[in-house]
């Protein structure tokens, strides 16, 4: 279920109205993350979307974040990072961020800061690497404005459970939150691939 398409750096530079250097840097990053590949003397090509890799990265992410929650709930005092998160996510509805792209950045940082707050530097490093790899597809979830209310509500529930040291509930809430996000992103990706295939067939 994929669309194979090739293109050159010059084509992308012209389309984006940018110089080739930042375009090349972005393409090499996408290559490292498995989304594109270099064709010998023929430019670049979009790789088939690897749903198995996508599922595995989300599984690892869930394991790391739940491990961080266990450590946070075991701490005698809540670390400062948790207080920072509470300041952002425990707000009345009229103070919520309504710009969806901005909210997607804060959503990503919420999960990274949970792991960072645990104090395990290596776990935070691995989690950050996974976050980098799934960022492109993960932000598809924030193409829907309904995610604003869901994100605030679920983050607040997770944070409150951690602060009140309800370990099992916090982990259950976190797993459900990640699973819902994973499901939504997968549905959007499949829909976009289907639309791209139809468009390619119509233009053929």
């Amino acid at each position: 279920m994929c669309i194979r398409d090739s293109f050159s750096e010059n084509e992308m530079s012209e389309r984006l109205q940018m110089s080739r250097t930042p375009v090349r840097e972005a393409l090499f990053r996408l290559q490292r993350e498995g989304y594109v590949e270099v064709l010998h003397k023929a430019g670049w090509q979009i790789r088939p979307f690897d749903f198995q890799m996508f599922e595995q990265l989300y599984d690892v992410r869930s394991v790391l974040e739940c491990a961080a929650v266990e450590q946070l709930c075991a701490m005698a005092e809540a670390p400062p990072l948790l207080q920072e998160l509470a300041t952002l996510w425990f707000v009345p509805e009229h103070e919520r961020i309504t710009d969806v792209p901005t909210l997607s950045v804060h959503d990503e940082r919420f999960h990274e800061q949970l792991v960072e707050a645990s104090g395990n530097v290596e776990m935070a490093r691995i989690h950050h690497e996974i976050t980098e790899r799934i960022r492109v597809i993960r932000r598809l979830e924030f193409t829907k404005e309904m995610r604003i209310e869901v994100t605030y509500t679920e983050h607040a529930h997770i944070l409150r459970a951690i602060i009140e040291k309800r370990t099992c509930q916090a982990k259950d809430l976190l797993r459900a939150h990640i699973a819902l996000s994973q499901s939504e992103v997968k549905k959007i990706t499949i829909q976009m691939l289907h639309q791209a295939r139809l468009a390619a067939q119509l233009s053929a």
Side-chain angles (χ1 to χ4, degrees):
M1 197 168 176
C2 62
I3 305 299
R4 301 190 72 85
D5 191 20
S6 59
F7 54 90
S8 69
E9 291 178 12
N10 283 336
E11 289 171 342
M12 291 302 297
S13 295
E14 291 174 6
R15 178 178 294 184
L16 298 173
Q17 297 184 333
M18 298 173 63
S19 66
R20 288 183 60 185
T21 299
V23 169
R24 185 181 299 114
E25 290 174 353
L27 287 171
F28 279 126
R29 178 168 180 171
L30 289 171
Q31 181 189 31
R32 291 194 300 271
E33 295 171 0
Y35 294 107
V36 299
E37 59 189 350
V38 181
L39 296 175
H40 182 59
K41 296 183 180 180
W44 295 80
Q45 180 172 272
I46 299 170
R47 295 186 63 184
F49 189 80
D50 189 342
F51 279 103
Q52 184 177 15
M53 180 189 73
F54 164 79
E55 300 284 352
Q56 291 174 351
L57 288 172
Y58 264 81
D59 286 346
V60 176
R61 175 191 162 199
S62 183
V63 169
L64 291 174
E65 291 186 29
C66 284
V69 165
E70 284 191 7
Q71 293 183 27
L72 288 170
C73 289
M75 292 179 180
E77 295 183 7
L81 272 178
L82 275 191
Q83 299 303 323
E84 289 181 25
L85 288 172
T87 300
L88 177 62
W89 298 103
F90 291 170
V91 293
E93 189 173 343
H94 69 275
E95 292 183 16
R96 291 176 176 175
I97 297 168
T98 56
D99 180 69
V100 177
T102 302
L103 183 62
S104 72
V105 174
H106 285 291
D107 170 72
E108 182 177 290
R109 282 301 297 150
F110 170 83
H111 293 275
E112 286 201 308
Q113 285 182 292
L114 278 184
V115 181
E116 291 167 9
S118 73
N120 189 319
V121 177
E122 284 304 304
M123 190 159 68
R125 179 186 61 79
I126 295 169
H127 183 271
H128 179 71
E129 290 174 359
I130 292 172
T131 299
E132 293 267 294
R133 293 181 66 184
I134 66 175
R135 177 176 293 132
V136 172
I137 54 172
R138 182 175 170 187
R139 290 192 175 175
L140 292 175
E141 181 185 6
F142 286 89
T143 56
K144 297 182 177 180
E145 290 192 7
M146 60 164 286
R147 291 303 300 167
I148 295 175
E149 181 178 356
V150 173
T151 301
Y152 269 96
T153 301
E154 294 184 355
H155 284 189
H157 287 165
I158 292 165
L159 270 177
R160 198 172 301 282
I162 294 171
I163 292 169
E164 295 176 1
K165 301 188 183 304
R166 291 180 273 118
T167 309
C168 291
Q169 185 181 20
K171 289 166 63 177
D172 287 344
L173 288 169
L174 184 59
R175 288 194 195 97
H177 174 68
I178 293 173
L180 177 61
S181 171
Q182 180 178 352
S183 175
E184 287 297 313
V185 170
K186 187 172 182 179
K187 283 191 293 186
I188 294 169
T189 303
I190 290 173
Q191 183 181 24
M192 291 178 71
L193 288 171
H194 178 66
Q195 291 172 344
R197 172 170 288 178
L198 289 177
Q201 290 172 348
L202 290 173
S203 63

